Amino acid sequence: MPLTPAVIFGAFDRHNFGDLLIARVVARQLPRRELLFAGLAARDLRNEGGFATHALAQIARFARGREIDVIHAGGEVLGCNAWEAAVMIAPPPRVQATIDEETAWRRDPRAWARARFGMESAAPYVLAKTALPGVRVRQLVVNAAGGADLDAREAVLRADALAALRSADWLSVRDRRTQAQLEAHGMRARLTPDPAAMTAVLFDAAIQRHAARMPVRAIREAFTHGYAAVQFSADFGDDATLDRLAHELERIANAHGVGIALFRAGAAPWHDSLDVYRRLAARLPAQAVRVFESLNLWDICALIAHARVFCGSSLHGRIVATAHAIARVNIARNHSFGMPGIGSHKHVAYVSTWEAQDVPQIVTVDSLADAAAEALRVDRQTLRIQAASLAQRCRREFEALRAALD
């Protein structure tokens, strides 16, 4: 009997390292099934290692009157509102105009979302089972979703996200904080690591191929004693923060004999910036730093997998480092650390759920060098055990999911 066609839906319609990667993982776990990759916008990110995604309106054409399964790939999607989503997928010439629509969005979030995306929901990356007119959804799966700051978001967003989740046939989340919030609203969710925990076991061959050729090879040849893979979002780009980062990174380079490889974990609006990295590089000794420009998913994975330590604001940068048993530490801006709704919340939620006890978690910029030193002292075997444990748990969850779908 043929398997039910499936739509994999998520925020991989823009360049974000983590979202591109989890879509790849989920697709690998659904062999022999006809798949469509869908987001809020049609985008072709195959050159960057992602997929050609289709907008919501194209799902009916894919279904052609058949029943389909809809599978949310995962990621921190529960608390993303329609205006934020629109900004992050906007083409460069439209970014500022979309930002300027915030007032209109707040005036009537659902009407704004309907006009923009064709669905009347303030939480557009969380599809309800009835969200697709004319499409018969057999099973709705929400996989390893994050919503660490859901209780702090707009009431209308929270209501729409919770309503969609209640229609799910399979519901799993990636951290205990999200799980507890859903339990408070009467929903039981499975707890599973982020799909990217399986990166090393699923994609090692591709990652090693990319590690052996340009541009990753250039970094490895430039820093024969190893390097720190360093990433941070554009909101770290004020001069004072860059001065502090340069000081801390120079301490890391001198103390451990490593180079500094600056890479982007996302090129969509509100993500990372080459210009900011170049300004930081100008503050460091020229021989100690390289700006890694590739946005290819597998190049980024290879860069992290061969680093001595990962230091960055990207949660998926950390998760991929974990999968490869690499030392890691996340950084948050000094003034925003621990505040809801600014990104560090999801890091705290995930890391406190899954990280090994002795591994540093999230620190402010001023503590980065000391935290990196602490991370590098952790026994490598401890890191390998942690990587294997998370990958095995992910595999068991996907096996259970496939059994429920089949």
Side-chain angles (χ1 to χ4, degrees), residues 231-274:
Q231 170 277 336
F232 51 89
S233 51
D235 60 346
F236 285 72
D238 62 277
D239 286 335
T241 300
L242 291 181
D243 287 343
R244 292 196 299 271
L245 270 169
H247 174 74
E248 294 295 300
L249 292 174
E250 192 163 2
R251 286 183 61 200
I252 292 171
N254 292 337
H256 306 287
V258 297
I260 305 298
L262 304 172
F263 76 97
R264 286 174 291 172
W270 291 342
H271 287 68
D272 306 346
S273 165
L274 269 181

Side-chain angles (χ1 to χ4, degrees), residues 231-318:
Q231 170 277 336
F232 51 89
S233 51
D235 60 346
F236 285 72
D238 62 277
D239 286 335
T241 300
L242 291 181
D243 287 343
R244 292 196 299 271
L245 270 169
H247 174 74
E248 294 295 300
L249 292 174
E250 192 163 2
R251 286 183 61 200
I252 292 171
N254 292 337
H256 306 287
V258 297
I260 305 298
L262 304 172
F263 76 97
R264 286 174 291 172
W270 291 342
H271 287 68
D272 306 346
S273 165
L274 269 181
D275 177 65
V276 171
Y277 284 178
R278 288 168 179 149
R279 288 167 51 214
L280 174 63
R283 290 166 159 82
L284 292 165
Q287 72 277 10
V289 62
R290 297 291 186 275
V291 177
F292 185 78
E293 297 195 15
S294 175
L295 290 172
N296 182 275
L297 171 64
W298 306 117
D299 285 346
I300 296 169
C301 284
L303 186 77
I304 296 171
H306 286 271
R308 289 271 303 280
V309 60
F310 163 77
C311 307
S313 64
S314 166
L315 178 57
H316 276 99
R318 183 193 192 99

